[in-house]
Amino acid sequence: MNTYPHEYESSLQQPESFWLKQAQQLHWFSEPKQGLQRNENGTADWFVDGELNMAFCALDYHVDNGRGEQTALIYDSPVTQTKQTYSYRELREQVAHFAGLLKKHHVKKGDRVVIYMPMIPQAAIAMLACARLGAVHSVVFGGFAPHELAVRIDDARPKVVITASCGVEVDKVIPYKPYVDEAIRLASAPPQRVIVWQREICEAELQTPRDVDWQKALAEVTPAECAVVKATDPLYILYTSGTTGKPKGVVRDTGGYAVALRYSMATVYGVEPGQVMFTASDVGWVVGHSYIVYGPLLTGATTILYEGKPVRTPDGGAFWRVCEEYGVNVLFSAPTAFRAIKKEDPEARFLQLYSLTKLERIYMAGERLDPPTLEWTREMTGKPVYDHWWQTESGWPICANPVGITEYPIKPGSSTLPVPGYDIRILAYDGTELEANQQGAVAIKLPLPPGCLTTIWGDDARFNAGYLREFPGYYSSGDGGYKDDDGYVFIMGRTDDVINVAGHRLSTGEMEEILAMDPAVAECAVIGVADELKGQVPVGLVIVKDGVTITSQVLSQRLVQRVRDEIGAVACLRQVHVVPRLPKTRSGKILRRLLRQLADGDSQVTIPSTIDDPGCVDELREQLSR
Ligand code: COA
Ligand code: AMP
């Protein structure tokens, strides 16, 4: 039966009753009677009178209801040759104990805790322990450099930082603890404590009394109980790239998020309690928060925490091995991961070594799913492959194929239909609504459904300016796209200075700020250019100051290193061109679109009539093609 149209309509027409009904899927300490309440930001608070605890819903509830011995989490680490499973009971015990340790160090409801960890189970345990206490976690992706960590520490002002002695990237051991030490040195609001999980592969040096050895300290603590938190209390802050160097701390509430995740697990992913979900991402990204940790556990499913890559750990069969070994039902990763597999194993020979009988569906998000990657994955695996679109801000899918209620035909290039709760409109830049097949700004009519960001941490003004002011009455997504005659949504790319590199969201504005700090640089631009594997990679263009004698090669290397040191290896800025001029409008604005077209080798470049100096175009084309 085609139930999606009805469900979608009722989610928009009667949002309160629709979501209150979904809320019944969870265990509340105090069940909400009120759905939605407008707040001073012009957005909505969900379930204001509800009380719950996220870790209770994710763990204790299942232990109390017969799932204690079921596997909750599987840790698979090809980089350290480790495999471990945790039942719901074991995970609850470890979380409660670690929460006891946090409590001993005076962490309480509302305190912030920064988590800077590799993909080990202790990352999830740390998150869930914070949730158990009602503390607000902020996970920082391990690929970020100390400076980025310091910026986040200063913004979130955590009482405690939790880290591990090291991460392992394929065959490189990356010591995390020295990065934390350096970040704390740079930070103006250092934490009182650093709790360190020591990995055998590389033990960290601890500084007493600030640093605490996780394993040793646990012996002396008693487990902590779940705190009662309001649905509107923040569960976490997750920093994401905006258009400037200052990352935005997306604030996620507890109740709305829990309800949205539980709903999405059934509606979007079709995952039932007891099934196995393998989300190959990182807990440092929103995908990891929602579908490695909270979504599967809220559902009573089994989640896989994978410390490896799609390739090189040890080969392009890595994902397929995990799928066979643990009977994975749903696999989710970024298109770039499948492009990497396709590049290493175009004929999918490794795939033939494994049985994917249990695998029902493959999901991709984080960047546009290009039709060739969709086709290849579908053809090689024989499984349906779904594109779905969402953002750190939304916390869960905005557009998807709602397979749990009605499965729609797939159209390559489209993330299918708006998920119930999201009223998606395509707007012209003056705010008028566009018709089918016309491309414009993708906006969501307010109110946003449960689960979406409630504000930017400590900065309501930035939240309003960044998302709500452009189109009054709408949330502005920052993405451009269109809807076709059947209402399918096609997301075509960002309309701001945010780029997507290997499924990681980065700010070109931030990279420009770093390049501009170099004493030799007079002016610069960073653009995202198309890359076969990573989707996009950043490329820098700089003009040197008059009188500077440094060679282009030396300057270029210095700038690449500067960005790596400041942002981290994940920035992937590998090319900086020293150019004599940059194309600008007569009013002095750099023509970035033109630069992108030139760098992509686009033969159909249209030179804007507003250009100040048309002569620079051929010169740049030649230089960028080298
Ligand atoms: N800790 C420390 N360093 C990290 C890191 C982490 N958690 N993650 C990445 N890095 C480093 C890498 O080692 C690499 O360093 P290098 O320049 O010294 O080699 C750099 O950051 C770039 O990493 P990455 O972009 O991951 O490139 P890669 O070549 O190692 O791998 C892919 C390419 C496509 C295989 C990989 O990006 C991938 O699997 N992506 C999946 C996408 C994903 O998880 N997206 C999240 C949203 S769904
Ligand atoms: P992040 O906040 O890191 O999840 O990145 C969100 C951004 O990634 C979105 O604003 C889009 O630009 C892009 N994105 C994510 N998923 C998709 C998708 N399925 N199709 C197109 N773009 C996507």
Side-chain angles (χ1 to χ4, degrees), residues 116-119 141-144 167-170 172 174 176 179 279-282 285-288 308-312 319 332-338 340 365-367 501-504 533-534 564 568-572 574:
Y116 183 72
M117 301 277 272
M119 282 291 286
F141 176 61
F144 282 125
V168 185
E169 277 287 297
V170 187
K172 274 182 302 190
I174 304 192
Y176 274 38
Y179 286 8
T279 301
S281 177
D282 191 288
W285 306 115
V286 68
V287 173
K309 300 258 173 185
V311 292
R312 294 181 284 137
F319 280 8
F332 173 7
S333 194
T336 188
F338 293 90
E367 53 170 326
V501 180
H504 309 141
L533 174 66
K534 299 196 174 189
R564 199 179 161 91
V570 71
C572 279
R574 301 236 161 84

Side-chain angles (χ1 to χ4, degrees), residues 314-318 320-321 341 344-355:
D315 53 42
W320 317 129
R321 178 203 41 96
I341 299 172
E344 189 165 307
D345 183 21
E347 308 302 325
R349 284 195 308 274
F350 286 113
L351 182 59
Q352 312 312 319
L353 305 176
Y354 303 98
S355 155

Side-chain angles (χ1 to χ4, degrees), residues 297-317:
L297 297 178
L298 283 173
T299 307
T302 298
T303 187
I304 294 178
L305 196 133
Y306 173 72
E307 189 182 25
K309 300 258 173 185
V311 292
R312 294 181 284 137
T313 56
D315 53 42

Side-chain angles (χ1 to χ4, degrees), residues 240-241 285-287 335 364-369 386-394 398-399 413-415 475 477-480 490-496 498-500 503-506:
T240 190
S241 300
W285 306 115
V286 68
V287 173
M364 299 198 203
E367 53 170 326
R368 183 167 177 270
L369 171 53
Y386 303 103
D387 185 6
H388 61 323
W389 169 62
W390 52 299
Q391 313 182 305
T392 304
E393 289 85 345
S394 69
I398 307 171
C399 278
S414 169
S415 42
Y475 163 86
S477 73
D479 280 307
F490 290 74
I491 301 295
M492 303 309 289
R494 299 287 306 189
T495 54
D496 55 15
V498 168
I499 58 171
N500 250 289
H504 309 141
R505 177 165 155 184
L506 299 168

Side-chain angles (χ1 to χ4, degrees), residues 258-311:
V259 172
L261 289 185
R262 183 67 192 85
Y263 176 72
S264 68
M265 286 297 291
T267 306
V268 175
Y269 301 101
V271 174
E272 288 166 18
Q275 289 198 314
V276 183
M277 184 166 193
F278 172 24
T279 301
S281 177
D282 191 288
V283 288
W285 306 115
V286 68
V287 173
H289 282 62
S290 296
Y291 298 109
I292 295 176
V293 181
Y294 292 114
L297 297 178
L298 283 173
T299 307
T302 298
T303 187
I304 294 178
L305 196 133
Y306 173 72
E307 189 182 25
K309 300 258 173 185
V311 292

Side-chain angles (χ1 to χ4, degrees), residues 165-223:
S165 52
C166 66
V168 185
E169 277 287 297
V170 187
D171 49 5
K172 274 182 302 190
V173 174
I174 304 192
Y176 274 38
K177 176 61 174 28
Y179 286 8
V180 172
D181 292 340
E182 174 63 4
I184 291 175
R185 197 187 63 75
L186 295 171
S188 51
Q192 291 163 10
R193 289 279 172 271
V194 177
I195 302 181
V196 186
W197 176 264
Q198 295 280 21
R199 302 186 79 181
E200 267 174 30
I201 196 160
C202 151
E203 293 232 339
E205 244 177 65
L206 303 188
Q207 299 177 19
T208 44
R210 187 198 68 186
D211 298 348
V212 176
D213 182 313
W214 177 323
Q215 287 100 318
K216 287 189 185 144
L218 263 194
E220 296 153 26
V221 295
T222 45

Side-chain angles (χ1 to χ4, degrees), residues 9 97 125 152 228 273 275 420 425 507 513 569 595:
E9 271 317 301
H97 253 98
I125 290 170
R152 286 154 175 82
V228 176
Q275 289 198 314
R425 309 290 175 100
S507 161
E513 285 174 22
L595 277 175

